[in-house]
Amino acid sequence: MGNRFGRPLYSIRECYWIIYNGFRSFGRLKKIKDSQNMSHQFMERIMLAVTEVNGCELCLYAHTKKALESGMSAEEIQKMLAGVIDDVPNKEVYGIIFGQHYADTRAKPSLKAWNQINDGYGQELALGVLAVTRVIMLGNALGIPWGSLRKRVKGKADSRSSLGYELAILLSAVIMIPVGGIHAFVARLIGIPEMNIRE
């Protein structure tokens, strides 16, 4: 299935790894919020950028509202949703571009992209950018089929999806969420790195 950007929707396998990575990053996201090393606006800019790539209408609606509440202007939000980052503060550009790259590569970023934000931000903030990106990816992966099913029930079927796809992802999520959570917990216990790229 292609979305409005011509990208295939996430498979069940991809959704599982997105869920796993999201769970791996929940603790990091809480830590970065508590430390206040990343502004709320920076987080929302990453979330908008990732959601724009993935095309999740439910997440676009929710995070547009949150971005406005964080103090971002409607004009900047509209630009970000069009993929334009002219108004993004210079210090946030690499984080936004990494988030877009992460989504565009279907959660398989290049080592070069990861090293750029690691070198530019330091490991702690780079892992914060990764956490924000992974958590919104989790929301997008499940929000797309949920939003499409809601539209279908209202008689406005999403042309990029099918009833079979929507039900398969959402029913599989009932198993994938607890299993992915346990998998992530075990990985953290045995010391598997949060970011592990092989090239």
Side-chain angles (χ1 to χ4, degrees):
M1 300 281 153
N3 71 12
R4 64 186 177 184
F5 297 101
R7 300 173 74 243
L9 296 175
Y10 292 112
S11 68
I12 290 174
R13 179 184 171 85
E14 287 175 312
C15 281
Y16 176 78
W17 287 107
I18 289 169
I19 289 166
Y20 163 81
N21 284 325
F23 275 114
R24 281 302 314 265
S25 293
F26 276 132
R28 178 70 59 178
L29 182 60
K30 183 181 183 324
K31 187 175 178 183
I32 202 81
K33 283 181 177 178
D34 291 347
S35 71
Q36 299 182 342
N37 286 339
M38 183 185 287
S39 73
H40 189 60
Q41 286 188 356
F42 190 9
M43 290 187 214
E44 287 305 325
R45 285 185 181 105
I46 294 169
M47 291 192 175
L48 286 171
V50 171
T51 299
E52 184 272 329
V53 172
N54 285 324
C56 176
E57 291 182 19
L58 288 179
C59 295
L60 283 173
Y61 175 80
H63 286 282
T64 296
K65 185 174 183 290
K66 286 185 177 184
L68 285 168
E69 290 168 357
S70 78
M72 289 174 63
S73 70
E75 182 183 2
E76 181 187 352
I77 293 167
Q78 286 178 335
K79 283 184 177 179
M80 291 211 63
L81 295 180
V84 178
I85 59 172
D86 293 349
D87 296 333
V88 170
N90 287 339
K91 64 183 180 180
E92 297 180 10
V93 169
Y94 280 125
I96 306 295
I97 290 172
F98 177 80
Q100 290 172 322
H101 170 69
Y102 189 95
D104 201 41
T105 59
R106 305 177 78 80
K108 294 176 182 169
S110 70
L111 183 59
K112 181 180 177 183
W114 174 244
N115 286 340
Q116 279 183 329
I117 66 161
N118 226 335
D119 294 345
Y121 292 145
Q123 188 177 41
E124 197 65 26
L125 187 55
L127 287 170
V129 168
L130 177 66
V132 173
T133 301
R134 283 178 165 177
V135 169
I136 191 60
M137 282 280 289
L138 192 162
N140 291 170
L142 300 179
I144 291 168
W146 177 243
S148 296
L149 183 61
R150 285 180 60 192
K151 284 175 72 173
R152 185 175 304 283
V153 169
K154 294 177 182 177
K156 299 176 183 176
D158 187 339
S159 62
R160 62 193 175 150
S161 186
S162 69
L163 179 60
Y165 173 80
E166 294 150 17
L167 293 176
I169 296 293
L170 295 172
L171 292 173
S172 297
V174 173
I175 296 167
M176 290 191 293
I177 290 171
V179 171
I182 293 165
H183 185 181
F185 177 73
V186 171
R188 190 165 34 251
L189 277 182
I190 64 175
I192 294 175
E194 287 175 64
M195 187 57 159
N196 192 7
I197 301 177
R198 293 179 188 166
E199 281 197 317

